[in-house]
Amino acid sequence: MAWWAQSPITQGAPALNANRSLQPASISCSSNSRLPRSLKPSSQRSAATQLSSVTMAAVSGTAAAATAEASADKAACNAPTEAARKALFGVAEEQPAEVEAAVRGRLPGWLSGSLVVNGGGDYSHMSHMFDGYGVLAKVRLQGGKAWGAQRYLDSKAYREYTREGRVVLREFGTRAEVSGPLGELKEVLRQLAGLMTKNPSFTDNASVSLQPVRRGAAAGGPLLMAMSETPPASYLINPSDLSTTEQVTYDDGLPGDLTTAHPSILADGSLLNFTRSLPFGGFHVYKQDPTTLRRTQLAFVPDRRPLSPAWLHDFGATDKYAVLLEHPLYMSLASLLLGRPASHLFMNWQPQDETRVHLVPLDGSGVVRSFTCPTFFYFHVSNTFESADGSSLHVDLAAYDDPQILNDLLLQPLLRPARDADGALTQQVSCSWYKRLTIPLTGEAGGRLQVGRGASVAQWHSM
């Protein structure tokens, strides 16, 4: 799930559960803790009057039934209850018109703005946590009051699903639903034709992130671009009413069959990202104009395994550099096209290859410096910055020892979690470790980097 907040709510805002039916909700707040700096008003109110939390309860009717189970599970491993899991991976109901929430306590008068989040809303035919059809949810705060709304993103994948009652376009971890051998053959031929014509028949379900763009600015603020990991999964959203206004199409000639849903916004407002061409391709690092949405390639990094390209979900970036961390998790074309088994969904883990680190300058020179480092898997980079003396670049990320987390997030184990002999929940997902990678900005490329290891992210969450 990704969120976008209209000023002055900029960071540290609550995550709204967009996977449940939206009812007239409750807003609760307290003033006994310090406010995150990003939420402080310009008047710098004292800590005694600062807002410490704003939570929206979007569902009624399950809390009382789950109280006993929640207490036992929290004592065991602080895991979500089974009732919460079923509600999370169910079907969200649309509420296009805003409904006012009941406010318990008091919201500061200066707290005004909108929070919009994007995430999976309909999991009824899905196999993986990443695959719910996108639903947009919004909380608006003004004058001590709060309102909420939610609406499905109008993608081709969702329209075909609602028309046919089945998954028509393959999602990340869910294959298209077909009937019998003939249906399987038609699906394989469709995928092959799409790959050969460079028009893959992957999903356009833009359910992962939201980016502010300047094109066709809506009344009261910019449009948002909802994104996922295929180029067609880019839609413009009007944050005022959550309507889908336009599917973004490209005629700039930039190659690429896949992309990331996590571009970095540079100081000038442009978006930095990359596409993936496959097979016999690589990473096309590009800069995107926030008004025209035209993309310009800055550099190209070829795949180390041309027939088995690595899957990357995110990358590091500053205004001067992009950092691609090519971990050894390789997409299997046989698994994608034919449904053959792979170790991790449609990918295979080859830890002996270690991780390649590509330092890409954004000056358009195309001179890429590459290094190797010990093997790890990651989803997201949390921070990238130069050292004080300008000699190196630090990349902070939550890294895993292997990609088992991808299998952990299949819906079957999430909905039916394992329990020990005493009935307590056991750990359901792999832990990541917060690590720092330091890359020299001078000297020869091709060296070996070391990755510092810190505390487990799971341990941090329990502190």
Side-chain angles (χ1 to χ4, degrees):
M1 177 183 292
W3 59 270
W4 176 87
Q6 180 181 359
S7 181
I9 305 175
T10 55
Q11 293 179 8
L16 173 66
N17 183 348
N19 301 291
R20 302 183 180 188
S21 172
L22 187 67
Q23 304 293 335
S26 63
I27 297 288
S28 63
C29 62
S30 60
S31 57
N32 57 358
S33 302
R34 292 187 60 83
L35 180 69
R37 290 184 181 180
S38 56
L39 282 178
K40 287 183 180 178
S42 57
S43 59
Q44 294 293 305
R45 296 169 183 252
S46 66
T49 60
Q50 291 169 350
L51 179 70
S52 65
S53 64
V54 179
T55 58
M56 184 168 185
V59 173
S60 60
T62 60
T67 300
E69 181 188 350
S71 299
D73 289 344
K74 184 174 182 180
C77 63
N78 202 27
T81 67
E82 292 185 35
R85 295 165 191 255
K86 291 177 182 178
L88 177 65
F89 300 117
V91 180
E93 294 182 16
E94 282 195 306
Q95 178 62 56
E98 289 186 348
V99 291
E100 186 173 354
V103 176
R104 292 199 299 264
R106 182 177 63 86
L107 294 172
W110 52 261
L111 186 59
S112 178
S114 295
L115 172 71
V116 182
V117 297
N118 182 13
D122 188 336
Y123 284 92
S124 54
H125 286 243
M126 298 303 181
S127 302
H128 199 274
M129 193 181 82
F130 294 169
D131 291 344
Y133 288 111
V135 69
L136 303 157
K138 175 183 177 181
V139 176
R140 181 170 65 87
L141 304 175
Q142 184 177 5
K145 296 183 178 181
W147 296 262
Q150 68 183 22
R151 192 170 185 175
Y152 277 95
L153 190 144
D154 186 23
S155 66
K156 175 183 177 183
Y158 183 63
R159 290 195 302 271
E160 294 197 2
Y161 165 73
T162 55
R163 184 180 67 248
E164 299 197 20
R166 64 182 181 91
V167 176
V168 177
L169 297 176
R170 183 201 169 95
E171 299 293 328
F172 179 79
T174 304
R175 298 189 66 209
E177 295 177 298
V178 297
S179 298
L182 182 58
E184 290 280 357
L185 178 59
K186 288 181 179 180
E187 178 62 21
V188 169
L189 293 176
R190 185 167 69 111
Q191 296 285 358
L192 287 172
L195 193 61
M196 289 187 294
T197 59
K198 291 299 178 182
N199 185 28
S201 56
F202 300 145
T203 184
D204 65 343
N205 176 26
S207 63
V208 178
S209 70
L210 291 170
Q211 311 297 332
V213 294
R214 300 170 187 163
R215 185 153 120 187
L223 290 179
L224 304 178
M225 184 164 65
M227 299 180 65
S228 189
E229 293 190 344
T230 66
S234 296
Y235 282 89
L236 296 183
I237 304 299
N238 187 333
S240 64
D241 61 3
L242 305 183
S243 61
T244 304
T245 66
E246 177 187 351
Q247 184 177 25
V248 179
T249 57
Y250 299 107
D251 59 1
D252 49 30
L254 183 73
D257 306 296
L258 299 174
T259 185
T260 83
H262 297 289
S264 290
I265 301 177
L266 303 180
D268 63 1
S270 60
L271 279 66
L272 180 69
N273 205 349
F274 64 81
T275 60
R276 302 283 287 105
S277 54
L278 53 96
F280 303 107
F283 304 89
H284 303 264
V285 179
Y286 68 85
K287 188 175 180 180
Q288 185 172 22
D289 185 281
T291 301
T292 66
L293 301 184
R294 187 173 181 83
R295 305 168 301 174
T296 303
Q297 180 168 304
L298 302 177
F300 173 71
V301 181
D303 285 319
R304 79 172 128 184
R305 291 194 179 197
L307 283 174
S308 302
W311 174 75
L312 273 64
H313 184 70
D314 194 9
F315 64 104
T318 69
D319 279 340
K320 295 181 180 179
Y321 300 98
V323 182
L324 309 184
L325 305 175
E326 191 180 7
H327 49 202
L329 181 65
Y330 302 111
M331 290 182 276
S332 166
L333 296 182
S335 180
L336 276 172
L337 299 176
L338 305 176
R340 291 181 180 174
S343 64
H344 299 83
L345 303 181
F346 56 90
M347 297 168 281
N348 291 309
W349 181 239
Q350 302 291 342
Q352 71 278 3
D353 283 3
E354 298 194 307
T355 296
R356 287 206 310 174
V357 179
H358 305 290
L359 183 66
V360 182
L362 304 184
D363 58 7
S365 66
V367 179
V368 179
R369 301 172 68 230
S370 299
F371 307 84
T372 60
C373 72
T375 297
F376 63 82
F377 169 77
Y378 78 105
F379 283 125
H380 294 288
V381 171
S382 59
N383 198 13
T384 306
F385 61 99
E386 289 189 30
S387 60
D389 61 5
S391 65
S392 57
L393 195 69
H394 299 305
V395 181
D396 295 343
L397 69 157
Y400 298 82
D401 294 332
D402 57 51
Q404 177 57 34
I405 180 67
L406 288 168
N407 295 336
D408 294 342
L409 297 180
L410 286 164
L411 291 188
Q412 183 173 358
L414 287 178
L415 288 171
R416 288 172 285 279
R419 294 180 179 271
D420 61 21
D422 297 325
L425 285 172
T426 57
Q427 182 177 339
Q428 292 302 302
V429 296
S430 304
C431 289
S432 61
W433 298 84
Y434 203 62
K435 297 186 178 185
R436 172 166 293 175
L437 179 68
T438 299
I439 307 168
L441 295 178
T442 59
E444 296 293 327
R448 182 173 173 80
L449 307 176
Q450 295 299 318
V451 184
R453 183 161 184 161
S456 163
V457 173
Q459 291 173 344
W460 285 5
H461 287 174
S462 65
M463 290 178 181

